[in-house]
Amino acid sequence: KLIMAATDEKVFRSAHENDGKHHYGGRDVFGYGRSPPNPQWPNKAKVALNFVINYEEGGEKCLLHGDDESEKLLSDIVGASALKGERNANIESLYNYGSRAGFWRLHRMFTQKKIPATVFAVGMALERNPQACNAMVEAGWEVASHGYRWLDYQDVDEETEREHIERTIEIHKKMIGTRPTGIYQGKPNVNTRKIVAEAGGFMYDSDAYDDDLPYWTFDYGGVSNPHLIIPYTLSENDMKFVSPGSGFTTGQNFSTYLKETLKFLVEEGKAGQPKMMTVGLHGRLMRPGRAAGLADFIDYAKKYGKDVWICTREEIAKHWYEHHYPVGAGKSIEEFMIEKMNLENAANDKFESEISLSTPVKTNGGAGQNTSASVGNNAAAATTKKADDPDDELTEDVI
């Protein structure tokens, strides 16, 4: 929208109603500015380090999933095009690698090294692989929502997106044992955050890349109901192995970049500006050479001991609620968890009521029991000597 603006009697036809604003349309170009808060991470850590395993395989575009074209993104066929009305056998096979092999490589690596992880899980993909779901729960990983489908929601209408979010919550409860407390739609639209906030029960969303720290927004619930955003990353991410034109070519490239990032952030933290770091991973991209680079970085990060808090995003969210909740705002962390529990209980009551209405009465049967597995929080505790650069001094960690 063009408007006429006068400055010293001069009229500019290029003027716009949002000129000069720093907070507009859901954007905030100020952020924390020159004085970001000290996050006060546990044990005075300098960096909160979170590993995200994206579980998408089986939820991508495919004619077998009711789509009108094949998948084209994030595979080792760099620059692939979608095939309209056709299946792409190679893309399907590359995605299958993630659920058949890559996920299990990451699972072995993280469990053997005793490292916690957050899973961004696509609902449709979860539903296809109970074995992987059980492994996530047994490992104590946080399983956050990555939407019902791994597709671009840019042009998806609100009603459909609301249904997808509701459906993936139900899938999480069925496959994981609890609803997700975090969500990363991945390819959202300008209405996604509003829909997430209105859905209730989410402690945070990660559809943002605009900061090195979590932050609150009041755009979707006012002062009485602030919404937490924990930014994600597309740079410290194995997707750059398959990015057109530039990216990582070897596991060593990947490891070196991650090491340089962490080292710099630790130095910033020691100078009084602690931050968070996220590493994004995908099972279908975790071929052995790339995985070797990841393993090297994990060993490097562990050597920092208490200076690096290796944690889940849910742990970061709980920490932010407990230590950085906006003064005078609405729910405390305790109130939030009570609300979440009430939502789950109401959903379970509705489910059991529907079952009782549709199931014939049996005189010789036992009462069914609804059990719920809880995904634990594997906070990283370390006892170690400090080293300015872990490559210079090997330390012993208990993670």
Side-chain angles (χ1 to χ4, degrees):
K1 179 181 177 182
L2 293 177
I3 61 174
M4 305 300 288
T7 304
D8 295 332
E9 299 183 355
K10 187 169 183 177
V11 176
F12 294 94
R13 294 187 59 81
S14 60
H16 189 274
E17 61 185 352
N18 287 329
D19 289 348
K21 296 179 181 178
H22 69 85
H23 191 174
Y24 58 101
R27 298 185 62 180
D28 179 3
V29 300
F30 270 17
Y32 289 123
R34 87 170 49 174
S35 302
N38 186 325
Q40 300 175 329
W41 300 130
N43 297 315
K44 298 182 180 179
K46 307 304 182 291
V47 179
L49 174 60
N50 170 239
F51 293 91
V52 170
I53 298 172
N54 290 270
Y55 191 83
E56 302 159 341
E57 295 82 9
E60 76 283 358
K61 276 192 173 183
C62 180
L63 266 64
L64 297 175
H65 303 162
D67 302 302
D68 60 2
E69 64 181 17
S70 64
E71 185 56 70
K72 63 181 180 181
L73 297 175
L74 281 188
S75 80
D76 280 294
I77 304 178
V78 179
S81 298
L83 302 181
K84 296 288 185 180
E86 295 183 82
R87 294 172 59 185
N88 188 324
N90 283 337
I91 291 287
E92 290 177 19
S93 184
L94 287 166
Y95 268 74
N96 289 349
Y97 184 86
S99 55
R100 291 166 59 104
F103 169 80
W104 297 108
R105 177 170 290 122
L106 289 170
H107 184 266
R108 288 191 298 272
M109 184 185 301
F110 278 75
T111 54
Q112 289 171 4
K113 293 180 181 294
K114 297 181 173 61
I115 294 295
T118 295
V119 181
F120 283 168
V122 171
M124 179 183 279
L126 279 182
E127 204 167 26
R128 297 186 193 282
N129 199 339
Q131 186 179 186
C133 294
N134 291 338
M136 296 172 195
V137 173
E138 290 167 2
W141 293 349
E142 174 198 3
V143 185
S145 172
H146 196 358
Y148 173 60
R149 295 293 311 280
W150 194 72
L151 50 77
D152 192 343
Y153 280 88
Q154 177 65 36
D155 297 318
V156 173
D157 62 89
E158 275 198 44
E159 183 180 359
T160 300
E161 188 170 16
R162 286 182 191 279
E163 180 189 275
H164 280 199
I165 290 173
E166 180 182 357
R167 188 172 181 184
T168 201
I169 290 172
E170 294 305 311
I171 290 172
H172 275 252
K173 289 193 289 188
K174 178 177 71 173
M175 305 302 296
I176 303 299
T178 184
R179 63 158 292 150
T181 54
I183 184 170
Y184 171 69
Q185 198 80 314
K187 290 173 279 189
N189 58 62
V190 294
N191 295 313
T192 299
R193 182 161 290 137
K194 173 176 72 88
I195 296 171
V196 168
E198 290 173 355
F202 287 106
M203 188 179 289
Y204 71 90
D205 86 65
S206 286
D207 279 307
Y209 312 94
D210 51 5
D211 214 299
D212 296 313
L213 286 173
Y215 62 91
W216 300 98
T217 179
F218 301 94
D219 290 344
Y220 306 94
V223 175
S224 64
N225 192 23
H227 180 72
L228 182 63
I229 298 168
I230 303 180
Y232 186 50
T233 182
L234 300 181
S235 52
E236 293 76 38
N237 196 310
D238 64 2
M239 65 177 283
K240 293 181 74 66
F241 279 112
V242 294
S243 298
S246 64
F248 307 122
T249 56
T250 68
Q252 186 176 14
N253 293 157
F254 188 39
S255 176
T256 298
Y257 179 72
L258 296 179
K259 286 180 178 180
E260 290 174 347
T261 301
L262 182 59
K263 182 179 180 181
F264 190 87
L265 287 174
V266 169
E267 290 170 354
E268 281 193 333
K270 289 180 177 179
Q273 296 280 326
K275 298 293 192 301
M276 62 173 284
M277 175 181 173
T278 301
V279 178
L281 305 166
H282 301 76
R284 63 188 175 278
L285 302 183
M286 273 294 108
R287 301 283 173 165
R290 297 165 181 171
L294 172 63
D296 181 52
F297 171 70
I298 290 174
D299 292 341
Y300 173 87
K302 289 177 67 176
K303 293 173 188 175
Y304 271 110
K306 292 183 179 180
D307 277 344
V308 175
W309 176 39
I310 305 177
C311 56
T312 66
R313 294 177 99 71
E314 184 176 18
E315 288 177 299
I316 291 173
K318 287 182 176 179
H319 179 86
W320 219 256
Y321 271 79
E322 291 168 359
H323 297 276
H324 303 283
Y325 201 80
V327 175
K331 296 186 288 289
S332 66
I333 183 66
E334 292 83 4
E335 291 169 326
F336 179 90
M337 297 309 289
I338 290 172
E339 177 188 297
K340 176 175 177 287
M341 182 178 67
N342 289 338
L343 283 170
E344 291 184 349
N345 288 341
N348 288 337
D349 290 343
K350 180 182 177 183
F351 176 76
E352 290 173 359
S353 175
E354 291 171 350
I355 290 297
S356 65
L357 289 174
S358 61
T359 304
V361 176
K362 296 182 180 180
T363 58
N364 59 348
Q369 184 177 4
N370 182 28
T371 59
S372 176
S374 175
V375 179
N377 295 316
N378 291 339
T383 56
T384 179
K385 294 184 295 180
K386 289 186 178 179
D388 289 336
D389 186 337
D391 277 346
D392 295 337
E393 180 180 356
L394 181 64
T395 61
E396 181 178 355
D397 299 313
V398 180
I399 298 292

